[in-house]
Amino acid sequence: ATEWGPDGINVNVVCPLAWTAALENFQEAYPEAFEANVHMPPMGHYGDVEKEIGRVVVQLANPDFKFMSGETLTLEGGMGQRP
């Protein structure tokens, strides 16, 4: 964001928690490790890659978000809540 901001380029990071084929394969290959380490987000489901993650990414390209740069968006259904 610091380097490219003067050129009018926004730089943001999206950190999603989404159900993927890799996560499904992990669940099948290592059911005990999956159970011990992978928890359901408070929203009650993992993010849908197209509907819940992709739509946020598309919105970041919208002119309404022109002033947003250097941000990290965590899309994790409430998993990152702090006490």
Side-chain angles (χ1 to χ4, degrees):
T2 301
E3 181 179 346
W4 293 338
D7 296 319
I9 299 171
N10 297 35
V11 179
N12 295 292
V13 177
V14 175
C15 299
L17 177 62
W19 188 260
T20 63
L23 190 56
E24 190 170 328
N25 291 340
F26 177 72
Q27 181 183 27
E28 291 174 12
Y30 307 99
E32 288 133 14
F34 180 89
E35 185 68 29
N37 296 293
V38 180
H39 306 288
M40 183 62 66
M43 294 292 293
H45 68 280
Y46 289 87
D48 180 282
V49 175
E50 291 180 14
K51 294 179 183 172
E52 295 170 318
I53 309 301
R55 289 180 181 178
V56 171
V57 174
V58 169
Q59 286 301 313
L60 287 174
N62 186 307
D64 291 343
F65 288 86
K66 185 67 180 156
F67 195 62
M68 177 185 254
S69 192
E71 299 296 332
T72 300
L73 287 85
T74 53
L75 305 175
E76 53 191 16
M79 291 292 284
Q81 294 182 67
R82 308 300 188 270

